Amino acid sequence: MGLFRRGPKRDSRDLARDGEFGFFSEREGGLFRSQVRQAFAEHGLEVTAYAGVVTDSAGRQFGLGNLAAVCHRDRRGERSWPALIRDHVGKVLRTMDGPQPLEILSEDEIRACLYPRVVAQETLPASDSFRYGRAPAPGLREVLALDLPEAVQMLSEDSLTDFGDVAELRIRAMNNLRALPVEGHETVRRGDGCAFEVLLGDSFFTASRVLVLDELVERLMGTGLTPDGALVAMPFRHQLAFHRIHDTRVIPALQAMAQFAAAGHEDAAGAISPRVFWWRRGVMTPLSEPGGNGLRVVADAEFQEMLERLVQRES
């Protein structure tokens, strides 16, 4: 999963856009939904397609947002869509119609595939099902999830009651997160001398490794973070970017990472946040805010004081 690659062939942005998924043209959106209906039909299900979901005769709803983003971003273009859609629909139906993991897995098996997952707050149900989850930063929520062979299942508060204390389960989940292998690591360098690191992986928990950033940085870079911490960005579930703060190169790094995060978040499957955060001892403070007129830095007084100290040290 590389950072920089040739983009897929797409319809011109000048054509009329799809009402739900603006990255599609009207034609692409119609083709996408037609192929979704066909994939369900191959499993004997007739579904009705709406803008962002399809429903079957039993009233079950299947969201299309992540699948649409996956199709849109695949560099092979439309020729890859039928296989991607069939694979996704098959996994969804096997997960929904098959035995439920919490009913067939032993307690030890559940704990072995338990991970913390950082998600956008807006992607969670409006109910209190995930109220147990921490908020590591504004707009984000940390929940517990099972990493299953064909799906990642986020666990509601009710589903956890039979497996022990949430705090104890989180400890086990965090240990599992620490043990994940590093799938990919790239350094993004700019002409002005600043650089930042990007962790990449197919794991749905790649971005969630921000929860153990200090240990991850030590493992990847051979040296830990200073008390000033790091800049971090989690555009979507398969990327985590960071810059260790130790000199004034943090200033151009912030600008570069803000652009990187906003671009990576747009149209992404499993989108998390378009913002850059200041990470210190596990606390994350937003530093950038995308808007209609581009990127805006929203550094607070404490961050400004740190910058002034770094400038004075180098003068």
Side-chain angles (χ1 to χ4, degrees):
M1 181 181 294
L3 283 176
F4 306 107
R5 62 187 186 185
R6 185 179 177 183
K9 183 178 180 181
R10 300 167 177 156
D11 283 350
S12 169
R13 295 292 299 185
D14 294 334
L15 296 176
R17 312 315 297 169
D18 182 81
E20 179 73 14
F21 306 121
F23 46 77
F24 282 155
S25 68
E26 283 187 353
R27 183 197 66 82
E28 290 169 332
L31 175 64
F32 168 73
R33 293 180 183 87
S34 173
Q35 292 180 352
V36 169
R37 287 194 297 270
Q38 181 177 339
F40 275 100
E42 291 172 1
H43 288 272
L45 280 178
E46 182 177 346
V47 296
T48 302
Y50 298 96
V53 301
V54 296
T55 62
D56 66 9
S57 58
R60 297 183 300 181
Q61 287 194 349
F62 306 87
L64 299 178
N66 281 341
L67 178 57
V70 167
C71 290
H72 168 66
R73 294 173 71 92
D74 194 286
R75 59 183 172 179
R76 296 167 295 176
E78 291 176 16
R79 62 188 175 91
S80 69
W81 291 9
L84 290 172
I85 292 170
R86 282 197 299 269
D87 180 65
H88 176 84
V89 169
K91 288 179 179 179
V92 167
L93 291 177
R94 285 192 295 273
T95 299
M96 293 187 70
D97 296 337
Q100 294 306 298
L102 294 178
E103 297 174 356
I104 62 173
L105 296 179
S106 69
E107 187 170 325
D108 286 343
E109 288 172 328
I110 289 173
R111 290 170 182 265
C113 61
L114 188 65
Y115 291 87
R117 185 176 178 188
V118 175
V119 298
Q121 173 71 47
E122 63 189 22
T123 64
L124 293 174
S127 67
D128 292 334
S129 302
F130 295 92
R131 62 184 176 185
Y132 71 87
R134 297 171 58 251
L140 303 181
R141 184 64 68 92
E142 175 201 325
V143 300
L144 295 176
L146 295 179
D147 189 15
L148 304 170
E150 289 197 323
V152 170
Q153 179 179 336
M154 294 191 296
L155 299 175
S156 66
E157 187 168 16
D158 290 342
S159 66
L160 293 170
T161 55
D162 294 334
F163 300 101
D165 178 69
V166 171
E168 188 275 329
L169 292 172
R170 182 176 185 270
I171 291 173
R172 178 57 186 265
M174 292 288 284
N175 287 336
N176 290 342
L177 185 69
R178 292 183 177 96
L180 283 176
V182 173
E183 297 180 66
H185 168 218
E186 299 183 19
T187 301
V188 178
R189 302 186 186 279
R190 297 201 343 164
D192 56 11
C194 84
F196 59 92
E197 313 299 323
V198 182
L199 193 72
L200 311 101
D202 291 328
S203 168
F204 276 42
F205 304 98
T206 301
S208 300
R209 297 175 81 155
V210 72
L211 300 172
V212 291
L213 184 71
D214 47 354
E215 299 169 46
L216 179 67
V217 169
E218 181 83 36
R219 177 178 173 184
L220 283 176
M221 313 301 294
T223 56
L225 297 172
T226 71
D228 289 329
L231 304 179
V232 296
M234 300 144 285
F236 62 107
R237 63 195 178 203
H238 301 296
Q239 282 188 356
L240 169 63
F242 66 88
H243 170 84
R244 294 176 295 168
I245 300 175
H246 51 83
D247 59 27
T248 55
R249 283 178 290 186
V250 65
I251 300 173
L254 173 56
Q255 293 291 339
M257 287 181 63
Q259 295 171 355
F260 174 85
H265 179 266
E266 185 180 11
D267 307 339
I272 298 178
S273 177
R275 298 175 176 84
V276 177
F277 299 89
W278 183 18
W279 189 101
R280 287 174 300 164
R281 297 177 293 279
V283 177
M284 291 191 287
T285 306
L287 292 177
S288 70
E289 187 72 43
N293 296 321
L295 298 166
R296 183 169 61 94
V297 173
V298 291
D300 62 10
E302 207 171 347
F303 189 78
Q304 294 286 358
E305 290 172 5
M306 182 200 68
L307 292 181
E308 292 172 6
R309 171 167 47 80
L310 293 176
V311 169
Q312 290 174 1
R313 190 172 70 187
E314 295 182 13
S315 61

